[in-house]
Amino acid sequence: MAGRYGRPRSFLRMRSLAGQVFLLQVAIVVLLVAASVTALVVQSRADSEREARNRSVAVAETFANAPGTEAALQSPDPTAELQPSAEAARMGSGVDFIVVMNLDAIRFTHPLPDRIGKKFVGDVQPALEGHVVTEKIEGTIGPLIQAVVPVTGADGEVVGLVSAGITIENVSGVTESQLPLLLGSAGGILLLTMGGTALVTRRLKRQTRGLGPTEMTRMYEHHDAVLHAVREGVVIVSGDGRLLLANDEARRLLGLPLDVEGAPVDRLGLDPVIAGLLASGRSATDEVHSVGDRLLAVSQRATDRNGGPPGSVTTLRDTTELQALSGKAAMARGRLKLLYDAGTEIGTTLDVMRTCEELSDFATARFADYATVDVAEEVLRGEEPTSAGAAGRGLRRSALSGARGDTGLHPLGAVMRFRPTTDIGAALLRGEAVLDPDLSARSGWQEQQPERADRMVESGFHTLIAVPMRARGVILGVAMFWRAERPEPFEDEDLSVAEELVARAAVSIDNARRYSREHNVAVTLQRSLLPRGLPDQSAIDAAYRYLPAQAGLGGLGGVGGDWFDIIPLPGARVALVVGDVVGHGLHAAATMGRLRTAVHNFSTLDLPPDELLWHLDELVARIDQDETADGSDGSGVTGATCLYAIYDPASGRCTMARAGHLQPVVVSPEGEAVFADVPGGPPLGLGGMPFETLDVQLPQNSRLVLYTDGLVEDRHRDIDEGLETLREALAGHPDRPPEETCEAVLRVLVPAKARDDVALLVGRTLRLAAEDVAEWDVPSDPSAVARVRSDVSRKLAEWHLVEEAFTTELILSELVTNAIRYATGPIRVRLIRDRTLICEVSDRSSTSPHLRQAASMDEGGRGLFLVAQLAERWGTRYTDDGGKVIWTEQVLQPEVDGPE
């Protein structure tokens, strides 16, 4: 064909498009290969310098840290000691020199002996300060890299310096020896690339048929003139979904701008259906699609038939005679879209009132001018709706929306009762929808309330649809839609749309009702399990806060597994407990109640914190086994944590243990806040590890802060950051009471809508006054019992508790006598005046007494029975030293002023 246009076929002239492309590709390949070789050479030199630096540092550090280097430096003749080993290391490592010098940079070693004793040339100051320094210098043997490292003694002080150096040429010799191979490889790549370019050019020449740019331009102009002259739209799309060509008619029909070639068809702003058809490439014949106010007949064929390129060609014809059909199709699509949008905008929350509001708002925005939703009272309360007809029950207006307020419609909160004699009431009893296309005709709807009906007609209300809300065969209420602003009345098609709309909303309302019922049950359960108030005790001044998680942010809002407790213990002591059960809802609340009850039961045994947690861990493991055995969901209570602390106001001692829980905060009377280092234990139910305790001495007016992880952990905040924020909120306020402390901590750490439960317990420690505690050491002699009785009588007289003296003497006589008779070690009696009168007798015996009923002929066995009858409470607790304490409590009678 080139000869046909009178051109010689000279390869050098290269006037064809394929030839020009070949020359351009060859030039690009040559430039790329040259650039690659240059980059390799530059990179090899940089690698050589880096390798020299690394090797010199490694050799110098190795020699400096070698055994004997430090001793040789401190020897009388360091050169004699170090020169042989330095030369051996130099030859073995391949460096050019290893120089050992003193702190004045005087050489002890050198490959050239005449250099020994002379000053080292280089920067040694950083090495004298304990750092490694490397530098590139121009030496007598050429460019080299030398490193200087310190030699440190046993005390960490620098005692000498070691320098190692290597010339860059010595390292780069290996790389440069490979340059011929690299250049040969580059030449081979160049030849292969040029061969591939020639093959590509040959294929291009065959496809363009040897045409030059001028001939191809002329052919394109002819093709373009014909393409844009036809009155049928033509669109060509590539295989990857990009628009290759659109003629003038296609641009007019589709509303395309001028510069759209090459853009993806899904980004042209086309109708989604047309864009999907063009991108799919599927075959189509005279498919009718609506584009704006036009209906287009679309045909589409693939272009890859018979070996063509991938893609599709589409023809478009304007069929205006199908305008009526287009209107109906648009209406059907609009209704389908309305129902689709209703599914996404109605029922977004599990709240009955909110769902009713969403239904009325959606209807007035898309379907009607005014909308009302009336719901049965039991549905609003979360109760199960009855099967009786809704017309005879009270329906409360739960939602009302519209443009104007004074229209005659019943306000929100009004109770609606539909008469069975009206069309709406009768249809409601049957569960059927009602369409009244002309309210002004007064077809019976006005009988409900004639005065309001007149006002509504005067306000322009002209058509109505009333649809019962039915779910699971029960009517929950009724939704009514009104038109007053729009002139067109509701039609039968609108009635079907309204029924579908209300049916979807009814399901959401029923789900919300069931959620409300479960939520109310769970909240009632949890409130019955949490503490109702603080018990009477004199050990701490306490305050607490419990904040449930917000609804919709995890589980059932308001119901979780966090809990706390304050448990009075014998001896005026008190136990502070805080725990967390992972999860929300009924299961978490029930589990929390079981654990709280178990802690109360275990506390009556007066166990130390570690033993109590061990028993609690065993209980949780047993609960998990039972739930697995009975075929439950297996959720168990894994993940429960607990912190248990006992505070003694008489001694100020606080003993704490934790099972997987966060550490408490102790605030000193001066305001310093620190985390108590309580040994960590595994969460409850895992077993296998004992729990450990921490004993701390808390001064009076210290504050002990216990909390759950919901206080410091949040998805927008790291837990370490939350703990530090808590510590900062507690520090610096020594005089702040517990109530204000709780408020300050929550204000800083808890967001407006907490995603997890928060339990916070703050206790300010109190101490028993010294005059309210009396102690005596009792020798193991029966005659000492009388002396104890007299001492106790005098102390009770000082306390103005003479009325209790006789009972107290009897109790102590029995307890001390038993201790002298059966126990070992020192015996101690302690008397505490608190809310009750507490008597304690301690000894070193671990044998616990047991109450029994003595027979009539028994000589003994009645002492402990007598104690139990005289005291309000009594019991035994064990001490850390292997002994025990038997305690009793007596109720103090209120003081009565005698006659003057």
Side-chain angles (χ1 to χ4, degrees), residues 442-584:
R442 308 297 178 97
S443 57
W445 69 277
Q446 76 283 354
E447 297 178 7
Q448 187 73 26
Q449 279 193 342
E451 299 82 4
R452 287 186 178 272
D454 293 339
R455 220 159 89 202
M456 292 172 64
V457 173
E458 293 173 0
S459 299
F461 285 74
H462 58 82
T463 182
L464 160 70
I465 290 179
V467 183
M469 290 190 295
R470 181 192 295 270
R472 297 184 296 113
V474 179
I475 296 177
L476 308 178
V478 61
M480 291 185 287
F481 311 100
W482 317 77
R483 277 187 179 173
E485 314 297 336
R486 310 181 196 188
E488 63 274 9
F490 286 124
E491 300 176 351
D492 292 336
E493 291 82 0
D494 298 318
L495 179 62
S496 62
V497 172
E499 289 178 327
E500 180 68 22
L501 190 66
V502 173
R504 297 189 181 193
V507 174
S508 299
I509 290 175
D510 188 57
N511 290 338
R513 176 199 62 78
R514 297 170 66 183
Y515 167 82
S516 298
R517 180 184 60 185
E518 295 179 4
H519 177 258
N520 292 336
V521 171
V523 169
T524 303
L525 172 63
Q526 188 194 37
R527 288 177 178 173
S528 66
L529 296 176
L530 285 173
R532 302 294 180 88
L534 298 178
D536 294 333
Q537 45 82 32
S538 303
I540 60 171
D541 177 17
Y544 67 90
R545 293 292 186 274
Y546 177 81
L547 299 179
Q550 295 297 312
L553 299 178
L556 291 172
V559 182
D562 291 14
W563 56 283
F564 63 93
D565 236 324
I566 299 178
I567 306 173
L569 297 178
R573 298 169 303 139
V574 67
L576 305 178
V577 195
V578 66
D580 186 5
V581 177
V582 175
H584 297 82

Side-chain angles (χ1 to χ4, degrees), residues 644-662:
Y644 188 84
I646 296 178
Y647 173 68
D648 187 353
S651 63
R653 178 189 179 194
C654 183
T655 306
M656 296 175 278
R658 63 188 179 105
H661 205 81
L662 295 174

Side-chain angles (χ1 to χ4, degrees), residues 638-797:
T638 302
T641 64
C642 183
L643 173 64
Y644 188 84
I646 296 178
Y647 173 68
D648 187 353
S651 63
R653 178 189 179 194
C654 183
T655 306
M656 296 175 278
R658 63 188 179 105
H661 205 81
L662 295 174
Q663 292 177 337
V665 181
V666 176
V667 184
S668 67
E670 294 77 22
E672 181 184 3
V674 295
F675 289 96
D677 191 15
V678 183
L684 298 174
L686 298 183
M689 292 183 64
F691 298 97
E692 300 181 39
T693 60
L694 172 69
D695 288 335
V696 294
Q697 198 72 22
L698 298 181
Q700 187 170 354
N701 293 326
S702 299
R703 276 163 292 163
L704 185 62
V705 181
L706 284 66
Y707 54 94
T708 57
D709 58 358
L711 180 67
V712 295
E713 192 172 16
D714 187 76
R715 66 175 182 174
H716 301 297
R717 178 182 59 207
D718 186 71
I719 188 170
D720 292 333
E721 180 184 350
L723 291 172
E724 181 60 23
T725 304
L726 172 63
R727 191 194 64 79
E728 292 175 355
L730 293 171
H733 301 279
D735 299 327
R736 190 163 57 187
E739 284 290 341
E740 294 182 9
T741 301
C742 289
E743 291 297 330
V745 169
L746 296 182
R747 186 167 53 252
V748 172
L749 285 166
V750 180
K753 291 186 177 181
R755 300 184 63 87
D756 196 6
D757 302 344
V758 175
L760 175 63
L761 181 59
V762 179
R764 183 171 62 89
T765 59
L766 305 176
R767 294 292 292 271
L768 294 178
E771 59 269 16
D772 290 335
V773 180
E775 294 182 284
W776 300 274
D777 290 324
V778 182
S780 297
D781 185 358
S783 62
V785 177
R787 191 160 55 253
V788 170
R789 285 200 303 266
S790 61
D791 292 341
V792 168
S793 296
R794 283 193 298 271
K795 178 56 67 175
L796 292 179

Side-chain angles (χ1 to χ4, degrees), residues 59 111 203 216 236 247 266 295 331 353 427 463 548 578 673 742 785 812 900:
V59 171
R203 179 176 177 86
M216 294 185 68
I236 299 177
N247 66 352
D266 56 354
L295 281 180
M331 184 179 299
M353 297 294 291
T463 182
V578 66
C742 289
V785 177
L812 286 177
E900 296 184 0

Side-chain angles (χ1 to χ4, degrees), residues 47 82 129 169 261 282 333 345 381 428 437 447 503 523 545 592 718 728 879 882 898:
D47 292 341
L82 296 172
E129 296 174 359
E169 181 181 0
E261 280 79 7
R282 63 178 177 85
R333 282 198 305 272
E345 298 181 23
R381 294 192 298 267
L428 192 59
E447 297 178 7
V523 169
R545 293 292 186 274
M592 175 270 292
D718 186 71
E728 292 175 355
T879 58

